[in-house]
Amino acid sequence: MARNSDTPRSNCRINFALETFGDKWTLLIVRDLMFKGKRTFGEFLESKEKISTNILADRLKRLEEHGIVEKTVAPDNRSKLLYRLTSKGKDLLPVMLEITAWSVKHDATRNTSDPFLTMFGSAKEEMMSAILDKLD
Amino acid sequence: MARNSDTPRSNCRINFALETFGDKWTLLIVRDLMFKGKRTFGEFLESKEKISTNILADRLKRLEEHGIVEKTVAPDNRSKLLYRLTSKGKDLLPVMLEITAWSVKHDATRNTSDPFLTMFGSAKEEMMSAILDKLD
DNA sequence: ATGTGGTGCTTGCAAAATGCAAGTACATTC
DNA sequence: GAATGTACTTGCATTTTGCAAGCACCACAT
């Protein structure tokens, strides 16, 4: 594996973030945890992007190592693990919303007058609170 | 090459963004253009992360194809190309700043009372205008 | 006009990461 | 105790990356 072995390429802040979640999969897991109420390995596997099991296991491990995600044993089934965002993970919400806003604006395959943008523009804080309230 | 060949893995907005800049290098180039005043192939190569020439060429091509970056011939030297952000690229500024804010907050190797965070918290719009004014 | 250096790449090849299918381990349920 | 659910691990082919070298074009000095 040894993707970001140990020493950062630089001490730049953008680089710090990229070495944490700079790949095609990691933020999809964050998305599923943050916006879709998913919590288990099996639920992440169901997402439309079709992540494979080895990559998912690797990214969950990484996210845990970085303190963005933590897992607990499910109360009803000891072989089932529940993943959730830590506060460090929840702090990615503004990043996720700005990414979403950018995509809504620039994805040509989408409607230009998207309700997300109006709401995001006028009630950002309320939007964030509503999302955070639903977690845990 | 054929990294994101043609058909998106899903029509999710987070995924749209990840298929555009979801890797370890692309946003470093955006950073160099947006915050460091860099404009040429050679200048990007100098950055501390040490991108290699083939990857840089590939990412610049991709960024152009996605309409995030455009290039022009330098007025003083016809073999020199000047890269710059398009408006779509400049629209990544909020994303870049939120990523920076997250990293400042969570990079344990950094000072906790970073001036970026106070300024970002109190004068976000002014900060963005100042950055955009320096471009082009 | 020729050589030297600047600029932006391309190429070749080894190493690493990814993607896919199958298999494993443990817990619960019947 | 057999079948199912859950979370992975393993093996292997394909793709991407990283490194070093080479190439093509332009500019400038001799």
Side-chain angles (χ1 to χ4, degrees):
Chain A
M1 197 194 321
R3 209 182 44 152
N4 306 322
S5 47
D6 45 351
T7 51
R9 299 178 294 181
S10 76
N11 66 349
C12 162
R13 292 138 169 188
I14 296 295
N15 186 59
F16 175 81
L18 290 177
E19 293 193 354
T20 308
F21 53 76
D23 73 276
K24 274 191 316 200
W25 295 109
T26 303
L27 289 186
L28 292 182
I29 299 171
V30 172
R31 172 202 65 186
D32 285 350
L33 286 162
M34 196 172 265
F35 304 127
K36 310 227 176 191
K38 300 197 177 183
R39 293 139 91 65
T40 65
F41 194 94
E43 285 174 331
F44 301 135
L45 279 184
E46 290 166 11
S47 289
K48 212 190 158 201
E49 294 84 8
K50 292 294 164 221
I51 190 169
S52 55
T53 57
N54 53 346
I55 303 292
L56 177 56
D58 175 72
R59 295 305 189 275
L60 285 170
K61 182 171 159 245
R62 249 172 226 292
L63 281 166
E64 261 197 282
E65 288 168 355
H66 283 117
I68 290 171
V69 149
E70 60 192 358
K71 70 180 172 204
T72 53
V73 176
D76 59 316
N77 183 333
R78 273 186 297 158
S79 78
K80 188 177 189 173
L81 298 174
L82 299 181
Y83 290 90
R84 61 177 188 190
L85 292 169
T86 63
S87 67
K88 182 174 176 180
K90 292 175 192 170
D91 281 345
L92 284 171
L93 178 55
V95 174
M96 298 296 281
L97 292 181
E98 291 293 354
I99 288 176
T100 303
W102 182 85
S103 292
V104 169
K105 184 168 178 188
H106 292 289
D107 184 347
T109 72
R110 292 189 160 279
N111 200 321
T112 49
S113 66
D114 194 292
F116 174 87
L117 277 186
T118 28
M119 199 175 312
F120 187 55
S122 62
K124 201 175 291 194
E125 293 303 325
E126 293 80 348
M127 208 169 166
M128 304 215 310
S129 300
I131 291 164
L132 291 176
D133 284 350
K134 280 191 212 157
L135 296 178
D136 293 346
Chain B
M1 199 194 318
R3 209 182 45 153
N4 306 322
S5 48
D6 43 351
T7 51
R9 299 179 294 183
S10 75
N11 66 349
C12 161
R13 292 139 169 187
I14 296 294
N15 186 58
F16 175 81
L18 290 177
E19 293 193 353
T20 307
F21 53 78
D23 73 278
K24 272 190 316 195
W25 295 108
T26 302
L27 289 187
L28 292 182
I29 300 171
V30 172
R31 172 203 65 184
D32 285 351
L33 286 163
M34 196 172 265
F35 304 128
K36 310 228 176 191
K38 301 197 179 186
R39 298 184 308 163
T40 65
F41 194 93
E43 285 174 331
F44 301 135
L45 279 184
E46 291 166 10
S47 290
K48 212 192 160 199
E49 294 85 7
K50 293 294 163 220
I51 190 170
S52 55
T53 57
N54 54 346
I55 303 291
L56 177 56
D58 176 71
R59 295 305 188 277
L60 284 171
K61 182 170 160 247
R62 248 172 227 293
L63 281 166
E64 261 197 283
E65 288 167 355
H66 283 118
I68 290 171
V69 150
E70 60 192 358
K71 70 179 171 204
T72 54
V73 176
D76 58 315
N77 183 333
R78 275 183 296 160
S79 77
K80 189 177 190 175
L81 299 175
L82 299 181
Y83 290 91
R84 61 176 189 195
L85 293 168
T86 62
S87 67
K88 182 174 176 180
K90 292 174 191 169
D91 281 345
L92 285 171
L93 178 54
V95 173
M96 297 296 281
L97 292 181
E98 291 293 355
I99 287 175
T100 303
W102 182 85
S103 293
V104 168
K105 184 168 178 189
H106 293 289
D107 184 348
T109 71
R110 293 189 160 279
N111 201 320
T112 49
S113 66
D114 194 293
F116 174 86
L117 277 186
T118 27
M119 200 175 312
F120 187 56
S122 62
K124 201 175 292 196
E125 293 303 325
E126 293 79 349
M127 209 171 167
M128 303 215 311
S129 301
I131 291 164
L132 291 176
D133 285 350
K134 280 191 212 160
L135 297 177
D136 292 348

